[in-house]
């Protein structure tokens, strides 16, 4: 909301020495966010005067039309002789009054004016447009043409009110009253402790039976409708300079007198108005909900298909306006400059109060945000409608020579003032400051409340503050007016806690371990589109395709909650790779969401007491299952090349090692074997499993992604990934970090090389060796895989394992270690067909 300081002074007698910066500081202290103070005309320097065009000579031979003019500027040039000026504009004629800047002047932007030769003539000054004077758009895009009665030689800086200060206020959604000069003036009056001359306090005639007929079919959507009629407007009447300038300063473009007056009153009082050409309104004006499929051409020339929830203004033909948003083109005020004969001479003024939610939804539904809808959706003073209509009528009579008809229409749905009961010391408790009852009552009365009572105050809220609905709102009014800066700084005293839970500590250990392994954490939104499952190559019956959909998603393209972390992580990898970072290792831990088999409706928990355990349990039962997962993605180089070596690219083994790292932190034994699932390459995918409560459970997969997935998602070649269920891993782990035991007895190492068929997984051979070796086996490690058809036979491979044996109470003999080795080899041969190599 732009507020000219000159306009503000009309309603509050601010000290003459107060600048815009001073007023800004006061309003900010009172809780209004004044973003900037614009200094209009700060670098403007005269002489800038009114002149009358005497002659115009068209200059030929140039690429664009050029005119050589003589202009009478009175005695402003010191000689009284006509001023010779070259001008390229064509929207003025001989006899017109224009604005002339003379040599020696400076225009906004530091543009100095001097006599200079141009187009073969010497131009002694300029004939000015609104842009050159920094006045804003007046719709003409040409020279300023002043009213014929303007005095030649008059100072144009004063006439056009070019020097002013404008406060630009960022009005919050709850302070619709401050989207008007009246509302900001009230705040300024409170801040300075000065009386307010309320522009809405004017004499308004009582409603009668002679007014224009109005029928409101939806009193919930429109609880107040005032209609007034003015006839006999002069077609040639135009908005005076002072009115145009005020509209320009608040950021609006002058259009025509009737429209300008309604816009002016809206900015002054905060009440949106609309003027209808009476000749074009047929029959009774109505207010109702639109019928599905009805159409309306609005003032912007767009045909809009109406929704059944839209509130519309109608006549006998149907809709003539979107209530509270924009009027219709079929009753538009005709501009006298385009067609004098058909110019509007009789108007019907509408000043109504509409439901805020209804107007907000209509404006967003049609993507049609207007100054009117902006005010209605934030709250408009319903009691100001009659005063705004009267103010509009008075200005039209004064400026256009119209006649106000005696009829006054006012349709009102009965309503009672809002009252709030609040303890007198409630603001003290909220702020931690002892304000006292007198201060509380005084501050509430300053904002317009009626206050009664002693220890328990009964507060009647003013009609212009619909945002005051409960005791805390009243407390905020007292606190902001007493000054937020006066609140004491008090450090909170949190109760002693028991630190992080074991689950939280595990998650932090996992994050630190992955970061230490060279991974960077990426936090992604938990939203996905269902098409990503096709890109990941998931089967049609895959449980991950069952998603929880949001009723109000942030994006229509991603309306569901994720069932896997991979889409977000792979998207982050793709974006970073596209920006030139090709060596990437990212990780994320976060929740995924799976719908429950039985759908339940969440209960509404109470806010006036602590919910019971049963209520909380019922709420949790209605929520989707939310296990926590961990995932990593890798691309590019895993180890950089340099003087220390050649480096190496990231591969499937790195993804598996990330899973092992996480399992070590959880204290779980991870089973890694060949697998095949969704986005992973069938020959380079590992299935990750754990044993919990005696049963084996698959908790994730790791490896290299399938080329089709890489192509579908636009990922780098040989991208690898891993994802596992952290909750399942935590259940399988012991949860207690154990320090490694150091034995005083030596280890006995036995190496074995076993020949098996190529399809036999190394994990199966390892499991058989581990089971056969017994309790003496301390560790087993695969250190070589060898394939040679000539030595081993077609379709065979050699797996070499290092077996470490140790007894906790003695030094093992060679025979004991060999016996354990032989038992391990025997069981491996029985289960997998393995034979000793050589």
């Amino acid at each position: 909301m732009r507020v000219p300081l000159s306009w503000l002074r009309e309603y509050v007698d601010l000290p003459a020495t107060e600048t815009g910066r001073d007023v800004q500081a006061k309003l900010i202290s009172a809780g209004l966010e004044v973003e900037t103070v614009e200094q209009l005309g700060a670098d403007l320097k005269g002489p800038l005067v009114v002149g009358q065009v005497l002659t115009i000579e068209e200059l030929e031979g140039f690429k664009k039309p050029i005119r050589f003019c003589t202009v009478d500027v009175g005695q402003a040039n010191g000689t009284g002789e006509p001023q010779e000026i070259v001008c390229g504009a064509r929207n003025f004629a001989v006899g017109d009054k224009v604005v002339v800047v003379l040599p020696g002047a400076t225009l906004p932007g530091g543009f100095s004016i001097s006599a200079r030769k141009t187009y073969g003539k010497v131009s002694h000054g300029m004939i000015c447009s609104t842009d050159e004077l920094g006045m804003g758009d007046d719709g003409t895009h040409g020279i300023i043409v002043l009213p014929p009665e303007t005095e030649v030689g008059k100072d144009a800086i004063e006439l056009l009110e070019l020097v002013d200060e404008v406060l630009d206020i960022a009005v919050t959604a709850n302070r619709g009253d401050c989207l008007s000069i009246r509302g900001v003036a009230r705040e300024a009056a409170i801040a300075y402790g000065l009386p307010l001359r309320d522009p809405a306090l004017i004499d308004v005639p009582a409603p009668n039976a002679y007014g224009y007929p109005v029928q409101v079919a939806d009193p919930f959507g429109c609880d107040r409708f005032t209609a007034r009629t003015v006839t006999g407007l002069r077609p040639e009447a135009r908005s005076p300079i002072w009115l145009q300038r005020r509209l320009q300063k608040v950021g609006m473009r002058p259009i025509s007198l009737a429209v300008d007056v309604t816009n002016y009153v809206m900015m002054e009082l905060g009440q949106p108005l609309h003027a209808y050409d009476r000749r074009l309104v047929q029959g009774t004006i109505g207010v109702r909900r639109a019928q599905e499929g009805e159409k309306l051409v609005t003032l912007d020339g767009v045909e809009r298909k109406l929704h059944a929830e839209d509130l519309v203004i109608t006549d006998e033909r149907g809709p003539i306006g979107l209530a509270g948003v924009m009027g219709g083109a079929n009753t538009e005020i005709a501009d006298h400059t385009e067609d004098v004969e058909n110019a509007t001479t009789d108007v019907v003024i509408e000043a109504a109060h509409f439901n805020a939610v209804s107007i907000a939804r209509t404006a967003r539904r049609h993507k049609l945000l207007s100054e009117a809808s902006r005010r209605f959706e934030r709250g408009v003073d319903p009691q100001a409608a009659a005063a705004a209509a009267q103010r509009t009528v008075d200005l039209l009579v004064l400026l256009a020579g119209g006649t106000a008809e005696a009829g006054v229409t006012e349709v009102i749905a009965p309503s009672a003032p809002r009252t709030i009961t609040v303890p007198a010391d409630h603001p003290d408790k909220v702020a931690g400051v002892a304000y006292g009852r007198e201060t509380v009552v005084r501050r509430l009365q300053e904002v317009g409340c009626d206050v009664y009572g002693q220890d328990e105050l009964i507060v009647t809220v003013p009609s212009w503050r619909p945002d005051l609905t409960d005791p805390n709102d009243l407390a905020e009014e007292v606190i902001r007016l007493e000054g937020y800066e006066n609140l004491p700084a008090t450090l909170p005293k949190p109760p002693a806690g028991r630190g992080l839970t074991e689950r939280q500590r595990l998650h932090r250990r996992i994050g630190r371990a992955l970061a230490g392994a060279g991974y960077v954490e990426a936090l992604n939104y938990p939203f996905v589109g269902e098409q990503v499952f096709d890109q990941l190559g998931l089967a049609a019956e895959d449980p991950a395709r069952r998603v929880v959909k949001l009723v109000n998603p942030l994006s229509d393209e991603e309306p569901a909650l994720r069932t896997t972390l991979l889409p977000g992580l792979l998207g982050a990898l793709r974006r970073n790779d596209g920006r030139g970072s090709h060596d990437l290792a990212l990780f994320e831990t976060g929740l995924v969401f799976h719908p429950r088999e039985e759908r339940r409706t969440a209960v509404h928990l109470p806010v006036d007491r602590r919910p019971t355990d049963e209520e909380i349990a019922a709420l949790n039962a209605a929520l989707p299952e939310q296990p926590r997962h961990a995932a990593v993605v890798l691309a590019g180089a895993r180890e950089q090349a340099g003087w220390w070596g050649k480096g190496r690219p990231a591969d499937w083994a790195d993804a598996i090692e990330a899973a092992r790292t996480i399992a070590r932190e959880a204290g779980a034994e991870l089973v890694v074997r060949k697998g095949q699932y969704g986005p992973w390459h069938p020959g380079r995918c590992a299935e990750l499993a754990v044993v919990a409560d005696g049963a084996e459970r698959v908790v994730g997969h790791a490896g290299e992604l399938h080329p089709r997935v890489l192509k579908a998602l636009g990922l780098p070649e040989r991208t690898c990934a891993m994802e596992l269920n952290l909750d399942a891993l935590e259940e399988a782990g012991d949860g207690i970090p154990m320090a490694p035991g150091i034995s005083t007895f030596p280890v006995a190492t036995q190496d074995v090389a076993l020949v098996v068929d190529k399809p036999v997984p190394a994990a199966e051979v390892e499991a058989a060796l581990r089971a056969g070796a017994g309790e003496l086996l301390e560790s087993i490690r695969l250190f070589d895989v060898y394939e040679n058809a000539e030595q081993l036979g077609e379709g065979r491979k050699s797996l070499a394992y290092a077996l470490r044996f140790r007894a906790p109470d003695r030094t093992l003999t060679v025979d004991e270690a060999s016996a354990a080795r032989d038992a391990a080899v025997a069981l491996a041969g029985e289960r997998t067909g393995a034979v000793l190599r050589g």
Side-chain angles (χ1 to χ4, degrees):
M1 175 68 191
R2 291 170 57 84
V3 180
L5 191 59
S6 59
W7 198 349
L8 193 64
R9 289 182 183 276
E10 283 199 6
Y11 309 128
V12 184
D13 290 326
L14 299 174
T17 56
E18 288 292 283
T19 66
R21 297 289 185 191
D22 299 329
V23 177
Q24 178 188 30
K26 284 282 190 179
L27 293 179
I28 289 176
S29 178
L32 291 185
E33 186 179 348
V34 185
E35 293 186 326
T36 59
V37 178
E38 185 178 351
Q39 306 289 334
L40 299 183
D43 52 356
L44 179 64
K45 173 185 166 186
L48 187 72
V49 298
V50 176
Q52 183 172 21
V53 180
L54 301 178
T55 65
I56 298 177
E57 176 188 350
E58 301 288 347
L59 301 181
E60 304 293 340
F62 300 102
K63 293 182 180 179
K64 61 179 181 178
I66 299 297
R67 311 167 96 186
F68 180 65
C69 311
T70 58
V71 184
D72 179 13
V73 295
Q75 296 299 318
N77 57 4
T79 64
E81 295 294 323
Q83 201 79 2
E84 296 179 339
I85 299 174
V86 175
C87 184
R90 308 191 64 79
N91 68 312
F92 64 96
V94 172
D96 283 345
K97 302 289 180 63
V98 294
V99 178
V100 178
V101 57
L102 301 177
T106 302
L107 294 182
F111 183 59
S112 299
I113 302 300
S114 60
R116 64 189 185 95
K117 188 172 183 179
T118 179
Y119 297 103
K121 300 286 186 177
V122 177
S123 181
H124 299 273
M126 286 175 54
I127 302 176
C128 296
S129 67
T130 55
D131 288 339
E132 290 162 343
L133 296 180
M135 295 170 58
D137 184 15
D138 66 349
T140 64
H141 303 290
I143 293 303
I144 303 171
V145 179
L146 301 171
E149 64 272 15
T150 309
E151 179 185 349
V152 172
K154 183 177 179 64
D155 184 358
I157 295 178
E158 179 182 351
L159 174 69
L160 300 177
E161 302 177 16
L162 297 178
V163 178
D164 203 349
E165 294 181 276
V166 178
L167 286 71
D168 193 352
I169 303 175
V171 179
T172 55
N174 65 316
R175 291 303 305 272
D177 60 306
C178 289
L179 287 174
S180 66
I181 304 298
R182 178 196 184 201
V184 177
R186 182 180 293 108
E187 293 296 315
I190 296 172
Y192 280 93
L194 297 171
L196 169 70
R197 288 189 292 274
D198 192 342
L201 295 180
I202 57 177
D203 293 331
V204 178
N208 53 51
Y210 311 110
Y212 198 94
V214 173
Q215 184 175 4
V216 178
D218 189 344
F220 174 78
C222 175
D223 57 9
R224 185 178 294 262
F225 195 107
T226 300
R228 301 289 300 276
T229 304
V230 181
T231 60
L233 302 179
R234 295 196 311 271
E236 71 280 2
R238 56 185 290 183
S239 301
I241 293 174
W242 64 267
L243 193 149
Q244 293 187 47
R245 287 296 295 133
R246 286 194 169 177
L247 290 178
Q248 289 172 334
K249 289 177 184 179
V250 297
M252 302 191 76
R253 179 172 64 86
I255 298 173
S256 64
L257 177 59
V259 176
D260 291 350
V261 167
T262 58
N263 286 337
Y264 176 84
V265 175
M266 176 179 67
M267 303 307 295
E268 181 182 53
L269 300 182
Q271 168 67 53
L273 302 108
H274 191 71
Y276 300 95
D277 189 328
R278 185 175 179 177
R279 296 173 307 165
L280 303 178
V281 180
Q282 299 180 11
T284 301
I285 291 178
V287 183
R288 62 169 171 82
R289 298 289 173 176
Q291 298 173 8
E292 192 68 44
E294 277 188 311
K295 295 181 180 180
L296 170 68
V297 179
T298 46
L299 289 174
D300 56 0
V302 177
E303 182 180 79
R304 303 185 185 276
K305 186 176 180 180
L306 303 180
H307 188 275
E309 292 185 3
D310 291 336
L311 197 65
V312 293
I313 311 298
T314 65
D315 65 3
E316 291 180 353
R317 297 165 297 177
I320 60 174
L322 267 177
V325 180
M326 184 174 285
N330 53 356
T331 56
E332 183 179 6
I333 299 293
D335 190 350
H336 73 88
T337 60
E338 298 177 358
D339 188 354
V340 176
E341 293 183 1
N342 295 317
T344 300
T345 57
D346 302 337
V347 296
V348 178
I349 306 298
E350 166 207 309
H353 184 262
F354 301 111
N355 177 265
V357 174
S358 175
I359 300 305
R361 287 177 176 171
T362 296
R364 282 156 181 74
R365 187 179 298 119
H366 294 282
K367 295 181 175 60
L368 186 60
L369 303 181
S370 63
E371 290 289 344
S373 68
R374 184 181 175 211
R375 284 160 175 78
F376 276 125
E377 66 186 32
R378 285 167 172 79
V380 169
D381 181 4
Q383 302 291 340
Q390 182 62 45
R391 179 84 166 118
T392 304
V393 168
D394 292 344
L395 286 172
L396 289 176
V397 170
L398 174 67
L399 302 177
T403 301
E405 289 195 353
V408 177
T409 302
E410 197 163 34
V411 180
I412 302 176
S415 62
R418 184 188 299 111
T419 59
I420 303 172
T421 301
V422 56
D425 62 348
H426 182 66
D428 301 13
K429 294 179 179 178
V430 173
V433 177
Y435 292 122
R437 179 188 178 280
E438 291 185 2
T439 299
V440 171
V441 171
R442 174 171 57 84
R443 288 304 190 184
L444 292 178
Q445 288 175 338
E446 285 178 345
V447 299
C449 298
D450 292 329
V451 185
Y452 302 95
Q454 292 298 319
D455 295 338
E456 196 84 357
L457 302 180
I458 300 175
V459 181
T460 302
V461 175
S463 58
W464 57 82
R465 290 299 302 275
D467 58 307
L468 302 181
T469 59
D470 58 58
N472 284 333
D473 294 329
L474 301 180
E476 182 182 5
E477 292 300 298
V478 175
I479 294 168
R480 75 177 180 88
L481 295 178
E482 284 295 306
Y484 291 123
E485 68 277 8
N486 296 323
L487 293 177
T490 305
L491 291 176
K493 297 179 180 179
R498 289 174 290 180
L500 301 178
T501 65
E502 180 58 35
R503 187 168 189 247
Q504 291 170 329
R505 285 195 288 269
L506 171 61
H507 296 160
R508 293 198 178 187
R509 290 202 309 271
I510 289 171
R512 286 194 293 266
L514 291 175
Y519 291 86
V520 176
E521 186 172 15
L523 301 177
N524 299 292
Y525 286 116
F527 312 118
V528 295
E530 293 182 79
Q531 73 280 357
V532 76
F533 301 128
D534 295 327
Q535 296 171 330
L536 290 176
L538 298 186
E541 66 278 4
D542 196 302
R545 284 184 175 270
R546 294 183 62 244
V547 296
V548 177
K549 291 188 177 180
L550 300 174
V551 176
N552 55 342
L554 293 180
S555 169
D556 292 336
E557 297 178 357
E558 296 181 332
L561 292 174
R562 66 190 178 189
T563 57
T564 167
L565 301 182
L566 290 184
L569 267 181
L570 292 174
L573 185 141
R574 180 180 62 249
R575 287 190 297 273
N576 282 275
D577 181 73
R579 288 166 172 77
S581 298
H582 304 302
D583 302 325
L584 297 162
L586 308 178
F587 84 92
E588 181 177 12
T589 62
L591 301 179
V592 298
F593 306 85
H594 298 286
R596 297 182 185 272
E597 294 297 333
E598 180 185 355
R599 296 186 60 182
R600 300 183 183 181
T601 302
V603 297
H604 291 281
L605 297 183
V607 295
D608 58 342
R609 60 174 173 81
R610 183 191 182 280
T612 65
D613 293 340
E614 292 75 14
E615 288 172 331
I616 296 175
L619 177 64
N620 289 333
L623 298 176
E625 296 179 1
Q626 303 176 49
R628 181 172 289 271
H629 281 204
V632 304
V633 293
L634 305 100
R638 184 65 176 139
E639 295 179 3
Q640 297 292 335
W643 56 265
W644 52 86
K646 296 180 180 180
R648 68 174 183 86
D651 61 16
W652 57 269
D654 294 302
I656 295 174
E657 182 57 30
R660 293 183 186 277
T661 299
I662 295 173
R664 282 194 294 271
E665 294 297 329
E669 185 71 28
L670 195 65
V671 178
V672 181
R673 57 173 172 251
K674 181 180 180 181
Q676 181 174 346
Y677 176 70
W680 281 276
H681 194 295
R684 298 167 187 164
C685 173
E687 185 177 79
L688 311 174
V690 293
V691 177
D693 298 328
E696 188 175 88
R697 177 180 177 183
V698 176
V699 295
H701 294 83
E704 184 179 315
L705 296 181
H706 198 287
R708 284 197 298 267
V709 174
L710 302 182
K711 182 178 180 181
L713 295 175
L715 299 171
E717 292 182 358
R718 312 304 290 268
T719 296
C720 300
M722 179 279 297
E723 182 171 11
L724 52 74
N725 187 328
L726 270 186
D727 289 353
L729 198 66
E730 184 181 3
E731 291 175 11
D734 54 27
I736 303 174
M738 299 295 292
I742 302 175
S743 176
T744 58
F745 300 101
V747 65
T749 302
Q750 297 277 348
D751 293 344
V752 295
L754 303 177
V755 178
V756 297
D757 293 337
K758 283 186 179 180
V760 176
E764 290 186 14
V765 178
E766 179 180 324
L769 289 172
R770 188 183 298 276
E775 296 180 353
L776 294 179
L777 181 67
E778 182 179 81
S779 67
I780 182 171
R781 178 174 62 88
L782 175 66
F783 66 85
D784 183 56
V785 178
Y786 177 70
E787 296 180 9
N788 188 313
E790 294 181 2
Q791 295 183 17
L792 304 178
E794 192 68 34
R796 305 279 279 175
K797 64 182 177 182
S798 171
L799 304 175
Y801 292 90
L803 284 70
R804 291 166 57 93
F805 298 97
R806 195 192 314 256
D809 57 350
R810 67 188 187 281
T811 300
L812 293 177
T813 65
V814 173
D815 292 340
E816 287 177 309
S818 298
R821 180 203 63 185
D822 294 342
V825 171
L827 186 59
E830 179 183 334
R831 290 186 178 181
T832 66
V835 296
L836 280 171
R837 183 180 170 187

